[in-house]
Amino acid sequence: MKTWIRDPIAMLAEGGKRGLVVEDGRIIELVGQDGPATPCDEIFDARRHVIIPGLVNAHHHFFQTLTRAHPDAINKNLFPWLKQLYPIWGAHLDRDSFRLAVRVALTELLISGCTTASDHLFVFPDDMADAVDIEAEETSKLGMRITLTRGAINLGFADGGIADERLMQDYDTVLADCERVLARYHDPSEGSFRCVALAPCAPFNVTKQLMIDTADLAARHDCLLHTHLGETRDEDDYCLHHFGCRPLDYLEEVGWLNERVWLAHGIHFNDAEIARLGKHRMGVCHCPTSNMVLSSGVCRTKTLEAAGVTVGLGVDGSASNDSSNLMEAVRHAFLLGRLAYDASSVTHLDALRWATEGSAKCLGRRDIGKIEVGRQADLACFTLDELRFSGSGDPIAALVLCGAHRADRVMIGGHWRVTDGVPVGMDMARLRFEHGQAASAFLTGI
């Protein structure tokens, strides 16, 4: 069936003045002034909508929706923040609360216009050996694409790390499950709804051997690698103290300096390190909201891009962001970029590119992230009906400058997954209630 999405207010694409045509989940035509080249079976009237590519979230921690605005963790930098929250997660995280956390995070992403997600999953309490499978199930119910990451922490408080041992698994279990998850879910084909990356958490809570072995495993299975790096000065100090080198040097030692890798945050790289990242065609996921909340620093997005580094965008964890709204992160990336550079160097189009093409490239995807013929039909459609948009001149710029935060419609692979601002089939009131009940234990300790 051919569907003409007709006459939007504006569309973020080269061409397509009168919209686009979708068939079998792909974009087959950008429609010019004279209308579609061939008859269409269905027409969707988009005259109220501004259309952009479906947003792509390149870094998150779904489970953290359970500890949003936790009073023990607010007003802290990253390491003190983690030291407060790890014991709380260790004491209360279980499979039922985790499933609700995943559902909430994905739903928030979806209604903000996100069509493809990536979660950095590294917590595996005793009853959550199948945590990756839970994420796969919940994503499938919403019709979203996902890059599942099989992460781990294996360096706890007792061994000089900052993680809680109750969230850890033994070494052999981690590697065996990496193999299992790759065999079951990794689908790198065009239009795939599930890919897998391997993602040890960070240099300060995994062992060197785990970093080395996951790099070898990723090479054998031709999958991507992901970890936190360059997020804080504390991380620099930790690596210098424990490894005798800076974080990027450590990454090279363990075999991670290559094009398979995208990194979360990437704030504290010097000029020489940025050049090295670009030389090896690596990616960095900018997480502006989290970086501001934790006072971590400002990612040098334009400098990274100029060096050849792919820059994507992520909301990061819902306990450091306290939201999973990727459209909000677009605005924050735009505003923070203006402070880091100047008013002409960072535009609304830069921020939107990071959240679409940039994030897609970080995840190794060439079939999403842009509205053009041949790409997957993943679209986010926003209205300008709210008072905040009144009088706005440039509709695409207005989404960023005026603060769009909720898509009216979202299409993934040619199917509408959000209509009238609500995921198809979702009882939002029930989800809020159930998630609130699950999160209460993390607040009260009961």
Side-chain angles (χ1 to χ4, degrees), residues 233-253:
R233 297 292 186 195
D234 286 339
E235 179 192 309
D236 289 351
D237 295 341
Y238 182 94
C239 288
L240 287 166
H241 176 72
H242 289 273
F243 310 130
C245 62
R246 287 176 55 79
L248 193 65
D249 297 320
Y250 174 74
L251 208 67
E252 185 168 26
E253 283 186 20

Side-chain angles (χ1 to χ4, degrees), residues 63 78-91 122-124 152-169 200-207 238:
F63 76 94
L78 178 66
F79 275 26
W81 178 86
L82 286 171
K83 288 175 181 177
Q84 288 293 322
L85 286 176
Y86 264 122
I88 296 171
W89 297 328
F122 54 82
V123 288
F124 291 86
I153 47 177
N154 70 335
L155 195 63
F157 291 123
D159 296 314
I162 60 173
D164 191 290
E165 283 82 358
R166 289 169 291 186
L167 303 172
M168 292 164 45
Q169 295 173 308
C201 181
F204 47 81
N205 55 25
V206 300
T207 61
Y238 182 94

Side-chain angles (χ1 to χ4, degrees), residues 26-39:
R26 294 168 62 248
I27 299 167
I28 64 165
E29 182 183 354
L30 298 183
V31 181
Q33 185 62 47
D34 296 330
T38 58

Side-chain angles (χ1 to χ4, degrees), residues 80 154 341 358 401:
N154 70 335
Y341 295 96
L401 295 169

